[in-house]
Amino acid sequence: MAIHQRRSALILPALLLAMLLSACGGGGGGSTGTGASVAPPDLTQAPGAPAFTGNTALDGYNWINYRRAQLGLSTLARNARIDAAAQGHSDYQRLNNTVTHEQTPGLPGFTGATLLDRLTNAGYQATKPYAIGEVISATSNPSGFYQAEELITAIYHRFVMFEPVFKEVGTGAATTSANYTYFTADLTAVAGYGAGLGVGRVVNYPGANQTAVPTNFFSDSESPDPVPNQNEVGYPISVHSDTIRDGVGIVVQSFTVAPRGGAALSVRLLSHATDSNTGETVAAIIPLAPLKSATVYDVSFSGLVAGVPVTRSWSFTTR
């Protein structure tokens, strides 16, 4: 079983808002590289999945865009300067046996204290107003498909990766001699990025009619822990709207999931009103028990999105 640690951060200076979501620890030490990657068969065989190359950074980039496209979000252009910032940060983490969003001057591989510093030092101009975010995975499985999919499963990381306004991304990976891989994705939108979806619109994940959805999630692998009092829970279900400059984002009135023909499940609601680690423009429910396999689940959401009433119902099927 792969060991997995995750960190995510979303930084929106134009809103005077900063969100930092951290995971513990780090590990390993040794040489760089992508290692020998083997993507899980259920990922490579997914409908419309990108071709698997074995290059962790490239496969992670392709998988993020694959999932974003499934939601109807814009695909992200790969930017070589953002790549350089992400690669430098993966190298720093490998050299210092750590998983972190901050770098310390004087330590091996230092490229900039903050994400903004690292982007700037790589020659990327974050012209205001801008949105920037970073997600990090550290795991014994070097597959970029696996790394990106596990980050999407981790709900706070998903919030960052599925931010609709993002336009560009860079990815980097570094692997130790003990085959422990650090994967970093930096996501950006600059110079009056505007709306991604438009006011009063949302996308949801898992998507409508999506199949082979995982049944569970180990909450303790993410920090802050989205379900603090237990580890194995059901797969998170989320809705996402655009970053906002004024007013409120998503106000949840009702958010439920039930097996086809059955009663609504007990869930933990993550919204800005109920969870201090959840931003204003996202919401999620996490079933408090693993889902059943090969089962259709019906989801219903109603609420306000930037003040606009939104009602949405959809279904997905577990693997």
Side-chain angles (χ1 to χ4, degrees):
M1 177 179 294
I3 302 168
H4 212 118
Q5 300 172 48
R6 310 178 182 95
R7 283 181 179 267
S8 63
L10 176 62
I11 307 168
L12 306 168
L15 305 179
L16 302 178
L17 169 67
M19 179 170 70
L20 177 63
L21 307 171
S22 303
C24 62
S31 63
T32 60
T34 57
S37 293
V38 179
D42 58 330
L43 295 183
T44 57
Q45 295 171 9
F52 182 68
T53 71
N55 180 298
T56 305
L58 176 59
D59 288 338
Y61 162 75
N62 287 336
W63 197 262
I64 291 169
N65 269 341
Y66 166 65
R67 289 300 193 200
R68 282 182 64 98
Q70 283 186 312
L71 273 70
L73 295 174
S74 62
T75 55
L76 304 174
R78 196 172 185 191
N79 184 299
R81 291 175 177 174
I82 309 176
D83 277 345
Q87 183 61 53
H89 194 54
S90 286
D91 290 337
Y92 173 90
Q93 293 173 100
R94 178 190 61 82
L95 290 167
N96 294 286
N97 292 335
T98 188
V99 183
T100 180
H101 289 297
E102 288 77 41
Q103 294 186 13
T104 301
L107 289 184
F110 176 80
T111 57
T114 67
L115 171 57
L116 181 58
D117 292 336
R118 295 190 292 274
L119 289 168
T120 301
N121 292 340
Y124 183 82
Q125 299 299 315
T127 307
K128 294 182 179 180
Y130 59 83
I132 58 177
E134 180 172 83
V135 293
I136 297 167
S137 169
T139 177
S140 56
N141 187 325
S143 163
F145 284 7
Y146 174 86
Q147 298 243 13
E149 183 73 1
E150 288 296 292
L151 288 168
I152 289 167
T153 297
I155 188 60
Y156 291 132
H157 296 70
R158 186 192 302 174
F159 288 157
V160 176
M161 297 166 79
F162 289 168
E163 166 56 58
V165 303
F166 283 140
K167 304 300 181 188
E168 294 184 298
V169 67
T171 56
T175 301
T176 72
S177 59
N179 291 324
Y180 195 77
T181 299
Y182 297 87
F183 172 77
T184 303
D186 294 336
L187 306 93
T188 70
V190 300
Y193 50 84
L197 294 171
V199 174
R201 298 185 61 197
V202 298
V203 294
N204 54 268
Y205 195 82
N209 303 315
Q210 187 169 328
T211 59
V213 173
T215 58
N216 66 346
F217 166 54
F218 290 95
S219 179
D220 290 355
S221 69
E222 188 168 19
S223 177
D225 189 338
V227 188
N229 59 339
Q230 65 185 96
N231 186 17
E232 187 177 16
V233 292
Y235 193 77
I237 302 160
S238 56
V239 292
H240 307 251
S241 66
D242 286 345
T243 288
I244 54 172
R245 290 185 173 85
D246 301 294
V248 296
I250 293 178
V251 176
V252 177
Q253 296 171 333
S254 176
F255 201 171
T256 63
V257 60
R260 179 67 55 85
L265 303 180
S266 295
V267 300
R268 174 173 171 80
L269 171 66
L270 300 183
S271 70
H272 192 62
T274 64
D275 175 46
S276 61
N277 295 306
T278 298
E280 291 182 282
T281 59
V282 290
I285 51 174
I286 305 177
L288 297 180
L291 304 178
K292 296 178 180 179
S293 61
T295 300
V296 177
Y297 283 88
D298 297 317
V299 185
S300 178
F301 169 84
S302 64
L304 301 176
V305 180
V308 178
V310 172
T311 300
R312 177 167 290 208
S313 297
W314 74 97
S315 302
F316 63 85
T317 304
T318 53
R319 63 170 63 132

